[in-house]
mmCIF file with all atom_site columns, all heavy atoms in Angstrom:
data_model
loop_
_atom_site.group_PDB
_atom_site.id
_atom_site.type_symbol
_atom_site.label_atom_id
_atom_site.label_alt_id
_atom_site.label_comp_id
_atom_site.label_asym_id
_atom_site.label_entity_id
_atom_site.label_seq_id
_atom_site.pdbx_PDB_ins_code
_atom_site.Cartn_x
_atom_site.Cartn_y
_atom_site.Cartn_z
_atom_site.occupancy
_atom_site.B_iso_or_equiv
_atom_site.pdbx_formal_charge
_atom_site.auth_seq_id
_atom_site.auth_comp_id
_atom_site.auth_asym_id
_atom_site.auth_atom_id
_atom_site.pdbx_PDB_model_num
ATOM 1   N N   . ASN I 1 126 ? 0.192  -18.272 -1.493 1.00 95.00 ? 179 ASN I N   1
ATOM 2   C CA  . ASN I 1 126 ? 0.177  -17.170 -2.674 1.00 95.00 ? 179 ASN I CA  1
ATOM 3   C C   . ASN I 1 126 ? -0.813 -16.039 -2.307 1.00 95.00 ? 179 ASN I C   1
ATOM 4   O O   . ASN I 1 126 ? -1.503 -15.467 -3.193 1.00 95.00 ? 179 ASN I O   1
ATOM 5   C CB  . ASN I 1 126 ? -0.274 -17.940 -3.984 1.00 95.00 ? 179 ASN I CB  1
ATOM 6   C CG  . ASN I 1 126 ? 0.318  -17.225 -5.208 1.00 95.00 ? 179 ASN I CG  1
ATOM 7   O OD1 . ASN I 1 126 ? 1.258  -16.306 -5.071 1.00 95.00 ? 179 ASN I OD1 1
ATOM 8   N ND2 . ASN I 1 126 ? -0.235 -17.351 -6.319 1.00 95.00 ? 179 ASN I ND2 1
ATOM 9   N N   . TYR I 1 127 ? -0.930 -15.642 -1.043 1.00 97.00 ? 180 TYR I N   1
ATOM 10  C CA  . TYR I 1 127 ? -1.624 -14.447 -0.622 1.00 97.00 ? 180 TYR I CA  1
ATOM 11  C C   . TYR I 1 127 ? -3.195 -14.716 -1.010 1.00 97.00 ? 180 TYR I C   1
ATOM 12  O O   . TYR I 1 127 ? -3.736 -13.718 -1.495 1.00 97.00 ? 180 TYR I O   1
ATOM 13  C CB  . TYR I 1 127 ? -1.077 -13.231 -1.208 1.00 97.00 ? 180 TYR I CB  1
ATOM 14  C CG  . TYR I 1 127 ? 0.203  -12.904 -0.678 1.00 97.00 ? 180 TYR I CG  1
ATOM 15  C CD1 . TYR I 1 127 ? 1.281  -12.568 -1.616 1.00 97.00 ? 180 TYR I CD1 1
ATOM 16  C CD2 . TYR I 1 127 ? 0.502  -12.774 0.689  1.00 97.00 ? 180 TYR I CD2 1
ATOM 17  C CE1 . TYR I 1 127 ? 2.558  -12.196 -1.158 1.00 97.00 ? 180 TYR I CE1 1
ATOM 18  C CE2 . TYR I 1 127 ? 1.799  -12.403 1.156  1.00 97.00 ? 180 TYR I CE2 1
ATOM 19  C CZ  . TYR I 1 127 ? 2.745  -12.215 0.192  1.00 97.00 ? 180 TYR I CZ  1
ATOM 20  O OH  . TYR I 1 127 ? 4.011  -11.808 0.818  1.00 97.00 ? 180 TYR I OH  1
ATOM 21  N N   . SER I 1 128 ? -3.726 -15.868 -0.768 1.00 97.00 ? 181 SER I N   1
ATOM 22  C CA  . SER I 1 128 ? -5.083 -16.118 -1.249 1.00 97.00 ? 181 SER I CA  1
ATOM 23  C C   . SER I 1 128 ? -6.108 -16.159 -0.162 1.00 97.00 ? 181 SER I C   1
ATOM 24  O O   . SER I 1 128 ? -7.250 -16.528 -0.274 1.00 97.00 ? 181 SER I O   1
ATOM 25  C CB  . SER I 1 128 ? -5.232 -17.448 -1.979 1.00 97.00 ? 181 SER I CB  1
ATOM 26  O OG  . SER I 1 128 ? -4.816 -18.492 -1.182 1.00 97.00 ? 181 SER I OG  1
ATOM 27  N N   . TYR I 1 129 ? -5.614 -15.890 1.039  1.00 98.00 ? 182 TYR I N   1
ATOM 28  C CA  . TYR I 1 129 ? -6.517 -15.823 2.282  1.00 98.00 ? 182 TYR I CA  1
ATOM 29  C C   . TYR I 1 129 ? -5.954 -14.923 3.375  1.00 98.00 ? 182 TYR I C   1
ATOM 30  O O   . TYR I 1 129 ? -4.891 -14.277 3.168  1.00 98.00 ? 182 TYR I O   1
ATOM 31  C CB  . TYR I 1 129 ? -6.521 -17.293 2.728  1.00 98.00 ? 182 TYR I CB  1
ATOM 32  C CG  . TYR I 1 129 ? -5.253 -17.828 3.463  1.00 98.00 ? 182 TYR I CG  1
ATOM 33  C CD1 . TYR I 1 129 ? -5.276 -17.782 4.802  1.00 98.00 ? 182 TYR I CD1 1
ATOM 34  C CD2 . TYR I 1 129 ? -4.104 -18.107 2.838  1.00 98.00 ? 182 TYR I CD2 1
ATOM 35  C CE1 . TYR I 1 129 ? -4.030 -18.254 5.584  1.00 98.00 ? 182 TYR I CE1 1
ATOM 36  C CE2 . TYR I 1 129 ? -3.003 -18.517 3.403  1.00 98.00 ? 182 TYR I CE2 1
ATOM 37  C CZ  . TYR I 1 129 ? -2.997 -18.580 4.886  1.00 98.00 ? 182 TYR I CZ  1
ATOM 38  O OH  . TYR I 1 129 ? -1.852 -18.996 5.539  1.00 98.00 ? 182 TYR I OH  1
ATOM 39  N N   . ILE I 1 130 ? -6.885 -14.841 4.405  1.00 98.00 ? 183 ILE I N   1
ATOM 40  C CA  . ILE I 1 130 ? -6.363 -13.957 5.514  1.00 98.00 ? 183 ILE I CA  1
ATOM 41  C C   . ILE I 1 130 ? -6.106 -14.832 6.755  1.00 98.00 ? 183 ILE I C   1
ATOM 42  O O   . ILE I 1 130 ? -7.184 -15.530 7.107  1.00 98.00 ? 183 ILE I O   1
ATOM 43  C CB  . ILE I 1 130 ? -7.314 -12.871 5.880  1.00 98.00 ? 183 ILE I CB  1
ATOM 44  C CG1 . ILE I 1 130 ? -7.415 -11.809 4.693  1.00 98.00 ? 183 ILE I CG1 1
ATOM 45  C CG2 . ILE I 1 130 ? -7.076 -12.158 7.103  1.00 98.00 ? 183 ILE I CG2 1
ATOM 46  C CD1 . ILE I 1 130 ? -8.530 -10.773 4.746  1.00 98.00 ? 183 ILE I CD1 1
ATOM 47  N N   . PRO I 1 131 ? -4.912 -14.887 7.331  1.00 98.00 ? 184 PRO I N   1
ATOM 48  C CA  . PRO I 1 131 ? -4.725 -15.712 8.562  1.00 98.00 ? 184 PRO I CA  1
ATOM 49  C C   . PRO I 1 131 ? -5.817 -15.371 9.565  1.00 98.00 ? 184 PRO I C   1
ATOM 50  O O   . PRO I 1 131 ? -5.845 -14.129 9.892  1.00 98.00 ? 184 PRO I O   1
ATOM 51  C CB  . PRO I 1 131 ? -3.361 -15.474 8.887  1.00 98.00 ? 184 PRO I CB  1
ATOM 52  C CG  . PRO I 1 131 ? -2.626 -14.842 7.642  1.00 98.00 ? 184 PRO I CG  1
ATOM 53  C CD  . PRO I 1 131 ? -3.764 -14.110 7.033  1.00 98.00 ? 184 PRO I CD  1
ATOM 54  N N   . ASP I 1 132 ? -6.355 -16.392 10.155 1.00 97.00 ? 185 ASP I N   1
ATOM 55  C CA  . ASP I 1 132 ? -7.235 -16.108 11.363 1.00 97.00 ? 185 ASP I CA  1
ATOM 56  C C   . ASP I 1 132 ? -6.633 -15.321 12.489 1.00 97.00 ? 185 ASP I C   1
ATOM 57  O O   . ASP I 1 132 ? -5.476 -15.624 12.749 1.00 97.00 ? 185 ASP I O   1
ATOM 58  C CB  . ASP I 1 132 ? -7.711 -17.548 11.807 1.00 97.00 ? 185 ASP I CB  1
ATOM 59  C CG  . ASP I 1 132 ? -8.978 -17.364 12.640 1.00 97.00 ? 185 ASP I CG  1
ATOM 60  O OD1 . ASP I 1 132 ? -9.833 -16.724 12.313 1.00 97.00 ? 185 ASP I OD1 1
ATOM 61  O OD2 . ASP I 1 132 ? -9.009 -18.082 13.743 1.00 97.00 ? 185 ASP I OD2 1
ATOM 62  N N   . GLN I 1 133 ? -7.243 -14.340 13.014 1.00 97.00 ? 186 GLN I N   1
ATOM 63  C CA  . GLN I 1 133 ? -6.667 -13.599 14.025 1.00 97.00 ? 186 GLN I CA  1
ATOM 64  C C   . GLN I 1 133 ? -6.146 -14.345 15.225 1.00 97.00 ? 186 GLN I C   1
ATOM 65  O O   . GLN I 1 133 ? -5.236 -13.907 15.882 1.00 97.00 ? 186 GLN I O   1
ATOM 66  C CB  . GLN I 1 133 ? -7.577 -12.303 14.476 1.00 97.00 ? 186 GLN I CB  1
ATOM 67  C CG  . GLN I 1 133 ? -6.823 -11.151 14.959 1.00 97.00 ? 186 GLN I CG  1
ATOM 68  C CD  . GLN I 1 133 ? -7.477 -10.124 15.940 1.00 97.00 ? 186 GLN I CD  1
ATOM 69  O OE1 . GLN I 1 133 ? -8.532 -9.773  15.461 1.00 97.00 ? 186 GLN I OE1 1
ATOM 70  N NE2 . GLN I 1 133 ? -6.838 -9.910  17.025 1.00 97.00 ? 186 GLN I NE2 1
ATOM 71  N N   . ALA I 1 134 ? -6.833 -15.460 15.532 1.00 97.00 ? 187 ALA I N   1
ATOM 72  C CA  . ALA I 1 134 ? -6.429 -16.311 16.658 1.00 97.00 ? 187 ALA I CA  1
ATOM 73  C C   . ALA I 1 134 ? -5.026 -16.757 16.480 1.00 97.00 ? 187 ALA I C   1
ATOM 74  O O   . ALA I 1 134 ? -4.246 -17.153 17.497 1.00 97.00 ? 187 ALA I O   1
ATOM 75  C CB  . ALA I 1 134 ? -7.386 -17.476 16.891 1.00 97.00 ? 187 ALA I CB  1
ATOM 76  N N   . SER I 1 135 ? -4.580 -16.851 15.263 1.00 97.00 ? 188 SER I N   1
ATOM 77  C CA  . SER I 1 135 ? -3.247 -17.416 14.977 1.00 97.00 ? 188 SER I CA  1
ATOM 78  C C   . SER I 1 135 ? -2.123 -16.325 14.929 1.00 97.00 ? 188 SER I C   1
ATOM 79  O O   . SER I 1 135 ? -0.917 -16.537 14.804 1.00 97.00 ? 188 SER I O   1
ATOM 80  C CB  . SER I 1 135 ? -3.204 -18.118 13.624 1.00 97.00 ? 188 SER I CB  1
ATOM 81  O OG  . SER I 1 135 ? -3.250 -17.103 12.540 1.00 97.00 ? 188 SER I OG  1
ATOM 82  N N   . TRP I 1 136 ? -2.523 -15.084 15.232 1.00 98.00 ? 189 TRP I N   1
ATOM 83  C CA  . TRP I 1 136 ? -1.469 -13.967 15.074 1.00 98.00 ? 189 TRP I CA  1
ATOM 84  C C   . TRP I 1 136 ? -0.532 -14.022 16.258 1.00 98.00 ? 189 TRP I C   1
ATOM 85  O O   . TRP I 1 136 ? -0.969 -14.128 17.398 1.00 98.00 ? 189 TRP I O   1
ATOM 86  C CB  . TRP I 1 136 ? -2.232 -12.570 14.929 1.00 98.00 ? 189 TRP I CB  1
ATOM 87  C CG  . TRP I 1 136 ? -3.066 -12.406 13.700 1.00 98.00 ? 189 TRP I CG  1
ATOM 88  C CD1 . TRP I 1 136 ? -3.284 -13.286 12.659 1.00 98.00 ? 189 TRP I CD1 1
ATOM 89  C CD2 . TRP I 1 136 ? -3.659 -11.172 13.316 1.00 98.00 ? 189 TRP I CD2 1
ATOM 90  N NE1 . TRP I 1 136 ? -4.057 -12.695 11.728 1.00 98.00 ? 189 TRP I NE1 1
ATOM 91  C CE2 . TRP I 1 136 ? -4.371 -11.392 12.021 1.00 98.00 ? 189 TRP I CE2 1
ATOM 92  C CE3 . TRP I 1 136 ? -3.735 -9.831  13.805 1.00 98.00 ? 189 TRP I CE3 1
ATOM 93  C CZ2 . TRP I 1 136 ? -5.080 -10.556 11.387 1.00 98.00 ? 189 TRP I CZ2 1
ATOM 94  C CZ3 . TRP I 1 136 ? -4.575 -8.959  13.237 1.00 98.00 ? 189 TRP I CZ3 1
ATOM 95  C CH2 . TRP I 1 136 ? -5.179 -9.295  11.943 1.00 98.00 ? 189 TRP I CH2 1
ATOM 96  N N   . ASN I 1 137 ? 0.701  -13.795 16.034 1.00 96.00 ? 190 ASN I N   1
ATOM 97  C CA  . ASN I 1 137 ? 1.636  -13.898 16.939 1.00 96.00 ? 190 ASN I CA  1
ATOM 98  C C   . ASN I 1 137 ? 2.014  -12.390 17.382 1.00 96.00 ? 190 ASN I C   1
ATOM 99  O O   . ASN I 1 137 ? 3.177  -11.977 16.976 1.00 96.00 ? 190 ASN I O   1
ATOM 100 C CB  . ASN I 1 137 ? 2.870  -14.597 16.330 1.00 96.00 ? 190 ASN I CB  1
ATOM 101 C CG  . ASN I 1 137 ? 3.846  -15.078 17.432 1.00 96.00 ? 190 ASN I CG  1
ATOM 102 O OD1 . ASN I 1 137 ? 3.553  -14.966 18.551 1.00 96.00 ? 190 ASN I OD1 1
ATOM 103 N ND2 . ASN I 1 137 ? 5.029  -15.568 16.971 1.00 96.00 ? 190 ASN I ND2 1
ATOM 104 N N   . LEU I 1 138 ? 1.244  -11.831 18.133 1.00 96.00 ? 191 LEU I N   1
ATOM 105 C CA  . LEU I 1 138 ? 1.481  -10.321 18.380 1.00 96.00 ? 191 LEU I CA  1
ATOM 106 C C   . LEU I 1 138 ? 2.671  -10.138 19.252 1.00 96.00 ? 191 LEU I C   1
ATOM 107 O O   . LEU I 1 138 ? 2.832  -10.949 20.075 1.00 96.00 ? 191 LEU I O   1
ATOM 108 C CB  . LEU I 1 138 ? 0.196  -9.737  19.123 1.00 96.00 ? 191 LEU I CB  1
ATOM 109 C CG  . LEU I 1 138 ? -1.151 -9.816  18.327 1.00 96.00 ? 191 LEU I CG  1
ATOM 110 C CD1 . LEU I 1 138 ? -2.315 -9.366  19.178 1.00 96.00 ? 191 LEU I CD1 1
ATOM 111 C CD2 . LEU I 1 138 ? -0.949 -8.899  16.985 1.00 96.00 ? 191 LEU I CD2 1
ATOM 112 N N   . SER I 1 139 ? 3.300  -9.125  19.158 1.00 94.00 ? 192 SER I N   1
ATOM 113 C CA  . SER I 1 139 ? 4.618  -8.851  19.914 1.00 94.00 ? 192 SER I CA  1
ATOM 114 C C   . SER I 1 139 ? 4.356  -8.338  21.328 1.00 94.00 ? 192 SER I C   1
ATOM 115 O O   . SER I 1 139 ? 5.252  -8.328  22.165 1.00 94.00 ? 192 SER I O   1
ATOM 116 C CB  . SER I 1 139 ? 5.567  -7.969  19.227 1.00 94.00 ? 192 SER I CB  1
ATOM 117 O OG  . SER I 1 139 ? 5.052  -6.758  18.931 1.00 94.00 ? 192 SER I OG  1
ATOM 118 N N   . GLY I 1 140 ? 3.273  -7.871  21.587 1.00 90.00 ? 193 GLY I N   1
ATOM 119 C CA  . GLY I 1 140 ? 2.877  -7.488  22.913 1.00 90.00 ? 193 GLY I CA  1
ATOM 120 C C   . GLY I 1 140 ? 3.244  -5.978  23.331 1.00 90.00 ? 193 GLY I C   1
ATOM 121 O O   . GLY I 1 140 ? 2.531  -5.299  23.981 1.00 90.00 ? 193 GLY I O   1
ATOM 122 N N   . ASP I 1 141 ? 4.383  -5.536  22.784 1.00 93.00 ? 194 ASP I N   1
ATOM 123 C CA  . ASP I 1 141 ? 4.756  -4.127  23.067 1.00 93.00 ? 194 ASP I CA  1
ATOM 124 C C   . ASP I 1 141 ? 4.843  -3.296  21.857 1.00 93.00 ? 194 ASP I C   1
ATOM 125 O O   . ASP I 1 141 ? 5.724  -2.358  21.725 1.00 93.00 ? 194 ASP I O   1
ATOM 126 C CB  . ASP I 1 141 ? 6.015  -4.154  23.903 1.00 93.00 ? 194 ASP I CB  1
ATOM 127 C CG  . ASP I 1 141 ? 7.213  -4.767  22.888 1.00 93.00 ? 194 ASP I CG  1
ATOM 128 O OD1 . ASP I 1 141 ? 6.846  -5.415  21.963 1.00 93.00 ? 194 ASP I OD1 1
ATOM 129 O OD2 . ASP I 1 141 ? 8.402  -4.486  23.211 1.00 93.00 ? 194 ASP I OD2 1
#
Side-chain angles (χ1 to χ4, degrees):
N179 208 17
Y180 296 127
S181 61
Y182 71 104
I183 294 171
D185 196 43
Q186 209 199 305
S188 71
W189 295 5
N190 196 9
L191 300 172
S192 59
D194 62 343

